[in-house]
Amino acid sequence: MGSSEAEGSSPPAMALVIDELTKGRQSVATLATLFFVDPLELQTAKLLLEETMSTISKAIAILECVNSQQDHTAAQLESPSSAVTSKGPVGKRKIQSTRKAASRKRGNPYSWKRVTSATIEDGHTWRKYGQKEIFSAKHPRSYFRCTYKYDQGCQATRQVQKSEEDPFLYVITYFGEHTCEAAKENNPRCREPCVVSFESKKINEIKQEIAFSSFPSHKQENEEEVVSNLTSVDSRSNCLEQPAMELHKSSITGLEPGWSDSSSGLNYSINSYDVEFMGLDILSFELNEFFAW
DNA sequence: AAAATTTGACCCTA
DNA sequence: TAGGGTCAAATTTT
């Protein structure tokens, strides 16, 4: 017998996931020892932390991709329909004209996903405009548009949904690019790599966070420090720096009650990365990306 | 008072 | 027709 192979999805992916997780575990082990050495090792510890979280997150996300690939593959085959030029600033309830543009999203290949553990903020300011229960999903999906949509005509939107696999992960799908002024200011920052700036006094809290992500056995309840003031960035290169961003209240209400605490003083970003759906080659694409980092 | 969120209705695509 | 994306009135928060 021995017919317990994976559900037709790429078996090599499994091996890679295991590999990633193993590496992650190893890093954590090393890291653990560093915490008990002296402050000089803190820098190394930071790097390891970053790497570890990234590694684990990648692994999880690979699994998620494999899982949901069937769905998305179909969508990717869609060709971009001719542009629909419907603007219509919203007035009364005359929706007809704007709806066409709205529903293009379904088959829109010009989108990208990010799977992230704790990062909801990404340096842009978003305005929530809807939330939906999704038929095949456990968690509702929240819809956000750029705050400056009407001021400056910025068409960027995003959807945020809790991961099926791991409630500590969020799948964020971005549509369109920011054209607002704020984006131009923010972009240099936002585009900066995944960076961590830990205050040494916060290390314990961070360790706690790590523990949460790795072993979600208990939930943070009366924590006054909540991870909302975070930066989520394209982590494609490496550099260390963390501008303290003045982000507004996290707008993930409805996703995770208790997360939207704007009084967070802790700034760090944990393992976020982009997942672009490019058809069936997605895995190899991703893996190349991974190793390019 | 203004800004942001919630939520049911509306409409489009598959 | 079902499912999903957006609108906009009502409500809540700042």
Side-chain angles (χ1 to χ4, degrees):
Chain A
M1 344 230 160
S3 54
S4 61
E5 76 276 286
E7 273 75 311
S9 41
S10 15
M14 284 303 173
L16 285 159
V17 169
I18 291 167
D19 189 44
E20 288 288 344
L21 288 173
T22 308
K23 273 162 39 185
R25 191 174 52 187
Q26 208 145 16
S27 298
V28 170
T30 312
L31 179 60
T33 65
L34 287 175
F35 275 119
F36 299 100
V37 192
D38 63 85
L40 291 176
E41 295 290 355
L42 219 54
Q43 194 69 14
T44 317
K46 283 186 200 172
L47 289 170
L48 267 171
L49 255 181
E50 196 182 332
E51 184 187 322
T52 303
M53 294 310 296
S54 166
T55 299
I56 292 172
S57 217
K58 284 175 196 171
I60 292 168
I62 288 173
L63 288 175
E64 284 213 335
C65 287
V66 170
N67 216 25
S68 61
Q69 196 169 355
Q70 294 91 337
D71 301 349
H72 294 288
T73 304
Q76 301 322 307
L77 299 176
E78 193 82 7
S79 60
S81 48
S82 47
V84 181
T85 47
S86 66
K87 311 213 178 129
V90 263
K92 304 290 187 217
R93 207 165 175 76
K94 56 181 310 186
I95 303 168
Q96 219 130 359
S97 56
T98 52
R99 286 304 162 96
K100 283 178 189 168
S103 297
R104 278 186 301 155
K105 217 148 263 186
R106 256 182 222 183
N108 186 358
Y110 302 120
S111 65
W112 62 95
K113 282 198 171 190
R114 167 178 293 160
V115 181
T116 174
S117 66
T119 303
I120 299 300
E121 290 298 348
D122 56 9
H124 293 290
T125 53
W126 300 95
R127 175 80 147 269
K128 187 174 181 176
Y129 65 84
Q131 178 171 318
K132 263 273 193 203
E133 295 291 336
I134 301 302
F135 178 69
S136 55
K138 280 182 258 180
H139 310 292
R141 177 177 299 162
S142 293
Y143 300 88
F144 298 84
R145 62 166 172 79
C146 178
T147 302
Y148 308 106
K149 177 176 181 179
Y150 299 123
D151 297 3
Q152 299 170 26
C154 183
Q155 294 298 311
T157 62
R158 75 173 188 180
Q159 299 174 1
V160 180
Q161 192 170 8
K162 262 189 179 181
S163 162
E164 297 281 311
E165 305 288 320
D166 184 348
F168 284 80
L169 289 176
Y170 290 85
V171 179
I172 307 178
T173 309
Y174 291 86
F175 299 91
E177 286 197 20
H178 282 275
T179 56
C180 53
E181 289 302 312
K184 287 167 193 163
E185 287 173 26
N186 274 333
N187 241 348
R189 285 170 163 191
C190 299
R191 289 291 169 189
E192 265 159 35
C194 170
V195 179
V196 190
S197 171
F198 304 121
E199 294 171 44
S200 39
K201 60 182 172 187
K202 294 279 189 181
I203 284 292
N204 280 333
E205 295 168 47
I206 292 164
K207 280 159 74 177
Q208 223 175 322
E209 278 296 326
I210 301 297
F212 277 134
S213 331
S214 308
F215 315 103
S217 52
H218 45 305
K219 210 172 182 295
Q220 51 191 48
E221 299 213 314
N222 42 10
E223 296 279 278
E224 68 264 72
E225 166 272 318
V226 190
V227 223
S228 71
N229 210 2
L230 305 169
T231 51
S232 138
V233 291
D234 291 342
S235 43
R236 303 217 168 203
S237 53
N238 269 328
C239 95
L240 280 171
E241 127 164 64
Q242 172 56 38
M245 311 182 75
E246 71 307 11
L247 296 170
H248 306 185
K249 175 183 173 185
S250 168
S251 7
I252 54 167
T253 354
L255 284 166
E256 179 83 83
W259 257 52
S260 313
D261 189 333
S262 53
S263 63
S264 161
L266 178 59
N267 281 319
Y268 66 99
S269 68
I270 304 181
N271 58 70
S272 75
Y273 71 95
D274 299 342
V275 179
E276 299 189 31
F277 289 94
M278 307 185 75
L280 291 169
D281 290 333
I282 177 171
L283 272 177
S284 54
F285 167 76
E286 284 180 348
L287 293 171
N288 285 336
E289 287 284 289
F290 291 169
F291 292 117
W293 293 339

